[in-house]
Amino acid sequence: MNISTVINPKIHPFLYVYRSREDDFWWCAIPYIDKRARRRQKRCTFRDSKFGSTEAALYQARIWRDRQIQRPEVRAAMGKHRPLILCSTDELDRMSETRNPFGLVGITATFRDKPLGGNFSVTANRGRKKWFSMRRYGGYGAFRRAVEQRCRWVGEPMPDEEDLKRRYQHWARRNRDTLISHRVET
C-alpha cells in the first residue's frame, strides 16, 4: 500500500525550458524522483538547425516537456512538496534494509554522545528541516511530532495513531540497545 498526494503543477510557457543563445538551441531540464526517493533530472536539447527555426525548436521542446510532466515520478518532483509515502506495516522489515525504517519518506533518527540523546529529524522540499528531541518528548513523542510536521509541510492527512505506534514500535524493537544506551524513553 503506497499513498501519495497528487499536486497539479502550474505550467507556464517556459517552465523547465531554457535557451542557449551562444549555441542556438533550447534545452529542457525536468526534475523527477527516482525509485530510491532521490531527486534527479532528465535533460534534452532542441537545436534550431535541426528543427528549421527557433520557434519550431521551442515548440518541440514544449511538446517534450509536456509529455514528461505527465509521468508520475516527474509530477511528484514538480509539486511544491514531495509526497508523504506510506508503506504498509507488513513491508517494514524490507524497508528497514533500504534505510527507510519507518516506511515514511523524510523521517530519520539520529543519536549523539555529547550531550547524550537523540533526535527525529524531518525534511521536506530540499532544505526544509526540523528536529524533535527524544530527550524532551520521549522516543514516540518526538517521532509523532516529526510525522505531524512532515504531513503539514506536504499537505497530507496525519496517519492514524495505531499505525504510527506500530511503525515506531517496530523501529524501537530493532534499535532497543541504542535507545537504552542513549537513555531515551520509548
Side-chain angles (χ1 to χ4, degrees):
M1 154 183 101
N2 284 336
I3 301 169
S4 64
T5 299
V6 176
I7 300 171
N8 291 322
K10 294 178 183 170
I11 303 170
H12 59 79
F14 291 97
L15 180 68
Y16 304 132
V17 178
Y18 308 94
R19 178 76 178 161
S20 173
R21 295 187 194 284
E22 297 154 2
D23 297 324
D24 294 329
F25 67 87
W26 294 94
W27 57 281
C28 293
I30 307 287
Y32 72 98
I33 296 176
D34 69 9
K35 292 179 182 182
R36 297 173 81 185
R38 295 178 299 188
R39 282 182 77 86
R40 300 284 187 220
Q41 267 190 1
K42 295 179 185 190
R43 292 175 174 247
C44 193
T45 59
F46 302 88
R47 296 202 173 273
D48 296 352
S49 59
K50 180 179 178 184
F51 294 102
S53 70
T54 301
E55 294 79 21
L58 174 59
Y59 178 75
Q60 291 301 319
R62 287 180 180 163
I63 288 174
W64 184 82
R65 183 240 1 238
D66 292 343
R67 262 189 267 131
Q68 295 302 313
I69 287 173
Q70 299 308 314
R71 301 176 67 147
E73 65 272 15
V74 172
R75 280 207 179 273
M78 286 179 65
K80 292 182 182 174
H81 310 285
R82 291 173 66 185
L84 174 77
I85 297 173
L86 293 172
C87 298
S88 71
T89 51
D90 299 337
E91 298 174 343
L92 285 175
D93 283 328
R94 186 176 54 80
M95 294 302 292
S96 297
E97 296 161 7
T98 61
R99 295 175 21 166
N100 189 349
F102 308 106
L104 299 168
V105 171
I107 310 291
T108 55
T110 55
F111 293 94
R112 63 185 178 277
D113 293 327
K114 291 182 182 178
L116 195 61
N119 294 321
F120 276 101
S121 66
V122 56
T123 57
N125 212 15
R126 295 191 92 180
R128 233 174 165 179
K129 193 166 197 159
K130 192 167 184 178
W131 292 267
F132 296 93
S133 170
M134 291 183 211
R135 212 159 162 210
R136 177 181 289 167
Y137 303 114
Y140 177 72
F143 172 70
R144 188 180 188 297
R145 282 173 173 79
V147 172
E148 189 175 359
Q149 182 66 54
R150 174 79 181 175
C151 288
R152 247 186 268 131
W153 280 344
V154 299
E156 282 283 333
M158 182 75 172
D160 66 65
E161 195 71 25
E162 289 304 312
D163 185 41
L164 283 181
K165 284 181 181 174
R166 270 193 306 259
R167 290 173 191 282
Y168 178 77
Q169 290 303 325
H170 178 269
W171 175 82
R173 277 192 303 274
R174 295 177 71 103
N175 294 285
R176 188 173 190 279
D177 295 336
T178 305
L179 290 169
I180 290 169
S181 68
H182 286 85
R183 299 189 189 124
V184 174
E185 293 179 29
T186 56

